[in-house]
Amino acid sequence: MDVIGHTPAGGAPRGRSASIWDVARVAGVSQQTVSRVINGKARVSEATRAKVLQVIAELGYRPNRLAQALAGGPARSVTVLTSDTALYGAAATLRGMEEAARRAGFSVGISVLEPDLEPAEVVLRLNRPGEAVMVIAFDDVGVRVLRALPPDVPVAAAVERRPGEGAGHSAGHSAGHSADAEPWQIWLDDRAAAAHATRYLLGLGHRTVHYVAIPSSTSALAQRTQGWREALFAAGRPRPEPLQGGWSPRSGYLAVRSLLADRSVTAILCGNDDLALGVMRAAREAGREVPGDLSVVGFDDSPQSAFMNPSLTTVRLDFEGLGRACFGLLHRRLDPEAAPAVPVWSEPELIVRESSGPAPS
Amino acid sequence: MDVIGHTPAGGAPRGRSASIWDVARVAGVSQQTVSRVINGKARVSEATRAKVLQVIAELGYRPNRLAQALAGGPARSVTVLTSDTALYGAAATLRGMEEAARRAGFSVGISVLEPDLEPAEVVLRLNRPGEAVMVIAFDDVGVRVLRALPPDVPVAAAVERRPGEGAGHSAGHSAGHSADAEPWQIWLDDRAAAAHATRYLLGLGHRTVHYVAIPSSTSALAQRTQGWREALFAAGRPRPEPLQGGWSPRSGYLAVRSLLADRSVTAILCGNDDLALGVMRAAREAGREVPGDLSVVGFDDSPQSAFMNPSLTTVRLDFEGLGRACFGLLHRRLDPEAAPAVPVWSEPELIVRESSGPAPS
DNA sequence: TCTATGGATGTTATCGGTCACACGCCAGCG
DNA sequence: CGCTGGCGTGTGACCGATAACATCCATAGA
């Protein structure tokens, strides 16, 4: 195979698509000049630049990102590590991340973390040492992976709670983003949201509120659980043990089945909307009416919740915004000068619908 | 917190992680021999292989996939092109694809196709010319992208229907996969499933069945719509115009709102479960009882459908299996010798629950 | 007129691998 | 004893880019 042989259409050797060399040859300049035009960094005369751009268009040339990355060009790819792409929260966060990354010209990789994954082995999934990573760490696998990541990989993470955070603090719109120890973590104020939902239910006259928890991401008390408990404590109400649920409607259904025989249970807060769906079915089967007999409140505001029967009172969480902000954080970390400001995301917001109402008299 | 692959002992120059050269030097062989050991292709003496493997472990060496791909190594990455990662069908398919790809040692990229995307521009998102691609083409953007893909990119796609397919044919378990014109497309037998669901409703005594369609992926009649119509035709029943819905519960709700005033409408088949959810809500608001007054059947068997109120009769589709099979197809295409057989996936199956029942007398 | 200056461009090394081919060695064979 | 043929291994080119450094040329200052 000849090295710089002639080419059919004046472009690339047969089969291969145009490379920077092909462009350089046709434009009558060196490949370095083409590189300069592409990256727009160094100065190139206007005439040369125009010529090169024209040849690029003619040949349909497109820089090979692999080669760029190999040669030490700026980072232009991220890998998202997440547990379950089918869960609404994770899926929505992923969508936000992907959108923001794509807009910034990054290519996005994805790797799903199985529950039995050995955290240290995730590095083997990266395309190269030092590849940038975003972790959706809403569960314990995610958190463990996050912890096991070598210090040389640039990372930003959407987490359930900020490890070691003291009292809740939120600076205006940007709840959860601070500049100390690990400024590359980002989260929603689950605790405040859970407390808010709990107070809402108490305000409806319920004696207390029960809670069905999603799996915790850490050994410590989950933020939602904590917010719920704090609200009960502050109001001087009984604090029942939280029920442990999973992520699915079925797990919510199973978790509360036995509880519902107790008519004194009149309000249940759920760790997500799917759990709430399962809880409402269990309630029907137990002969309890929602909301007449029993108020149910969910978390997440999934697309279905407004159409459930009864429609679900829930806490709307801006997962997409969180995902976008997470990428923003990573971007600033990778390229402090060029990266735009981290976009804001919305505070959790209680959406009152049909599934909650006054306590039965 | 010591991590595998982090801080090589005496291998690599400061900062950089170990390369094939470092391994070669420490092991006292050439880098080509290391490459042979890694890829396991060519024959290497047992002693040498052991020595190299040991050094690899010591240094925490990990091959750089970028460099491998650049140098023309075997394809070990795929990019999935899909429209909306939040929709159940697409999300489940993606999950199947990712799982299968990861298991086969592929890294998975993802790129979301916005509705207003210029199909020809997707090639710009690929990491290199000729990168392998999987398309989830359940809607028209996906189909257009699929069509616009240059012939040199290896592709496999999960599609709604097989373009130009004549009468339904299925070879044993592998409905929809044949070896002619475009053997890299894969699909579920939507038409048969829709026909089956329609016959089921007619069998319950309904005079006819109405249909709320998801957006079609082509200008031609969608497979689900067609199956529905054929079943009605075969049974000699009236064939009402299909109602056009979107993907969301809201669109289902809006699509049928006016229809429900007509009490002669007693059975509605929906293009997906979300639409069905919206339809059931519209029914409630119109004072129609499900299933007493009105039977509703969905499509997909999303995780929520079993817990809706009433629980939803629906057609279970094996999206994950479809995704796995799609990757299988691609894998065989990329590497006919090494790739395992394409895994099978399940046929659509009608799951009867509470939302359907005998026609009102 | 000679030279310092700086913008525009070319040259060479490098990134971390794979591939095609050459080479040395030892056994089997005529 | 010389040839042939595998097997195990090393060598050099190449993949498609970027970075550092070298070079060329024109213009301005001495």
Side-chain angles (χ1 to χ4, degrees):
Chain A
M1 184 196 312
D2 41 20
V3 183
I4 310 195
H6 55 75
T7 66
R14 59 151 234 263
R16 266 203 338 260
S17 61
S19 82
I20 202 172
W21 280 95
D22 302 312
V23 175
R25 185 167 36 73
V26 175
V29 299
S30 75
Q31 31 81 16
Q32 178 61 243
T33 299
V34 178
S35 173
R36 287 182 179 115
V37 170
I38 292 169
N39 297 312
K41 297 290 287 183
R43 347 185 30 133
V44 178
S45 77
E46 203 41 57
T48 310
R49 150 172 283 111
K51 174 64 179 167
V52 169
L53 286 176
Q54 180 200 331
V55 173
I56 285 180
E58 278 170 11
L59 265 47
Y61 164 77
R62 197 185 106 55
N64 181 324
R65 315 186 77 139
L66 266 51
Q68 288 183 312
L70 219 211
R76 292 233 163 290
S77 68
V78 212
T79 292
V80 178
L81 302 175
T82 182
S83 288
D84 189 344
T85 51
L87 284 175
Y88 174 69
T93 307
L94 171 62
R95 188 163 60 178
M97 289 174 167
E98 192 276 345
E99 181 195 337
R102 176 161 39 78
R103 295 242 164 106
F106 278 60
S107 68
V108 180
I110 180 174
S111 186
V112 171
L113 310 169
E114 321 90 272
D116 59 339
L117 172 75
E118 179 54 50
E121 291 190 354
V122 289
V123 289
L124 300 180
R125 302 189 181 178
L126 272 33
N127 287 321
R128 64 186 160 95
E131 158 129 317
V133 162
M134 287 190 279
V135 185
I136 301 180
F138 294 153
D139 61 2
D140 77 315
V141 193
V143 169
R144 271 159 40 212
V145 164
L146 194 53
R147 204 169 292 146
L149 243 27
D152 63 316
V153 346
V155 59
V159 300
E160 181 207 348
R161 68 193 286 276
R162 178 160 177 66
E165 184 192 25
H169 69 91
S170 50
H173 217 44
S174 58
H177 171 211
S178 68
D180 36 311
E182 289 142 342
W184 39 268
Q185 294 198 3
I186 198 167
W187 67 97
L188 294 164
D189 197 345
D190 284 334
R191 172 151 57 172
H196 183 200
T198 304
R199 282 194 302 270
Y200 157 76
L201 284 166
L202 294 179
L204 286 171
H206 297 275
R207 186 172 140 270
T208 188
V209 174
H210 289 253
Y211 180 62
V212 185
I214 50 176
S216 171
S217 71
T218 60
S219 53
L221 214 51
Q223 289 291 295
R224 292 181 191 180
T225 309
Q226 205 165 327
W228 159 72
R229 293 195 62 186
E230 287 171 3
L232 289 179
F233 179 80
R237 304 305 173 85
R239 279 169 294 161
E241 275 301 296
L243 298 164
Q244 190 53 55
W247 300 98
S248 68
R250 171 163 309 278
S251 71
Y253 172 82
L254 296 174
V256 301
R257 233 182 357 176
S258 57
L259 181 74
L260 290 174
D262 180 356
R263 309 289 298 195
S264 77
V265 174
T266 64
I268 301 183
L269 177 64
C270 302
N272 75 20
D273 288 351
D274 278 348
L275 287 176
L277 185 62
V279 166
M280 291 200 292
R281 164 150 288 262
R284 271 197 308 285
E285 293 186 0
R288 311 281 309 262
E289 282 200 11
V290 178
D293 255 0
L294 177 75
S295 286
V296 177
V297 173
F299 236 97
D300 286 1
D301 191 31
S302 70
Q304 289 83 24
S305 57
F307 291 85
M308 292 175 182
N309 179 21
S311 63
L312 185 66
T313 295
T314 187
V315 178
R316 175 174 297 165
L317 298 179
D318 184 12
F319 287 114
E320 290 197 33
L322 189 70
R324 284 192 291 266
C326 186
F327 174 77
L329 233 49
L330 182 71
H331 200 183
R332 288 201 75 83
R333 190 172 180 193
L334 292 173
D335 188 351
E337 275 114 60
V342 175
V344 298
W345 61 102
S346 311
E347 300 280 357
E349 177 189 2
L350 183 69
I351 310 287
V352 176
R353 298 205 184 94
E354 299 165 353
S355 68
S356 57
S361 46
Chain B
M1 177 195 71
D2 219 283
V3 176
I4 154 182
H6 166 221
T7 320
R14 58 151 242 263
R16 262 202 344 257
S17 60
S19 83
I20 201 173
W21 280 96
D22 302 314
V23 175
R25 184 166 36 73
V26 175
V29 298
S30 75
Q31 31 86 18
Q32 177 63 343
T33 299
V34 177
S35 173
R36 288 183 178 112
V37 170
I38 293 169
N39 297 311
K41 297 289 288 182
R43 338 185 36 125
V44 178
S45 77
E46 204 39 59
T48 311
R49 149 171 284 108
K51 175 62 179 167
V52 169
L53 286 176
Q54 179 199 332
V55 173
I56 285 179
E58 279 172 9
L59 264 47
Y61 164 75
R62 195 180 97 59
N64 181 324
R65 314 187 77 136
L66 266 51
Q68 289 183 311
L70 218 212
R76 293 230 163 287
S77 68
V78 213
T79 292
V80 178
L81 302 175
T82 182
S83 289
D84 190 344
T85 50
L87 285 176
Y88 174 68
T93 306
L94 171 62
R95 189 164 58 177
M97 289 175 167
E98 193 276 345
E99 181 195 339
R102 175 161 38 76
R103 295 241 163 108
F106 278 60
S107 69
V108 179
I110 182 177
S111 185
V112 171
L113 310 169
E114 322 89 90
D116 59 339
L117 171 74
E118 180 56 50
E121 291 190 354
V122 288
V123 290
L124 300 180
R125 300 188 182 179
L126 272 32
N127 287 321
R128 65 186 158 95
E131 157 129 316
V133 161
M134 287 190 280
V135 185
I136 300 180
F138 295 155
D139 61 0
D140 78 314
V141 193
V143 169
R144 271 159 39 212
V145 163
L146 195 53
R147 202 169 292 145
L149 242 28
D152 63 317
V153 346
V155 59
V159 301
E160 182 206 348
R161 68 192 287 274
R162 179 159 176 68
E165 184 193 24
H169 69 91
S170 50
H173 216 45
S174 58
H177 170 213
S178 66
D180 38 308
E182 288 142 342
W184 39 268
Q185 295 197 1
I186 199 168
W187 68 95
L188 294 164
D189 197 346
D190 283 335
R191 173 151 57 171
H196 183 201
T198 305
R199 282 194 303 270
Y200 157 76
L201 284 166
L202 293 179
L204 285 171
H206 297 276
R207 186 171 140 273
T208 188
V209 174
H210 288 253
Y211 180 62
V212 185
I214 50 175
S216 171
S217 71
T218 62
S219 55
L221 214 51
Q223 290 289 296
R224 292 181 191 183
T225 309
Q226 205 164 328
W228 160 73
R229 292 196 62 188
E230 286 169 2
L232 290 180
F233 179 79
R237 303 306 173 83
R239 279 170 293 163
E241 276 300 298
L243 299 164
Q244 191 54 54
W247 300 98
S248 67
R250 171 165 308 280
S251 71
Y253 173 83
L254 295 174
V256 301
R257 230 177 4 171
S258 57
L259 181 73
L260 289 174
D262 180 354
R263 308 288 297 194
S264 76
V265 173
T266 64
I268 300 182
L269 177 64
C270 302
N272 76 20
D273 287 351
D274 277 348
L275 287 176
L277 185 62
V279 166
M280 291 200 293
R281 165 151 287 262
R284 272 197 308 285
E285 293 186 1
R288 311 280 310 261
E289 282 201 9
V290 178
D293 253 1
L294 177 74
S295 285
V296 176
V297 172
F299 237 97
D300 287 1
D301 191 30
S302 70
Q304 289 83 24
S305 57
F307 293 84
M308 292 176 181
N309 179 21
S311 64
L312 184 67
T313 295
T314 186
V315 177
R316 175 174 297 164
L317 298 180
D318 184 12
F319 287 114
E320 289 197 32
L322 189 71
R324 283 191 292 266
C326 187
F327 174 76
L329 233 51
L330 182 71
H331 200 183
R332 289 200 73 83
R333 191 175 180 189
L334 291 174
D335 188 351
E337 276 115 60
V342 175
V344 297
W345 63 102
S346 311
E347 299 280 357
E349 177 189 4
L350 183 69
I351 310 288
V352 176
R353 298 204 184 94
E354 299 166 354
S355 68
S356 57
S361 46

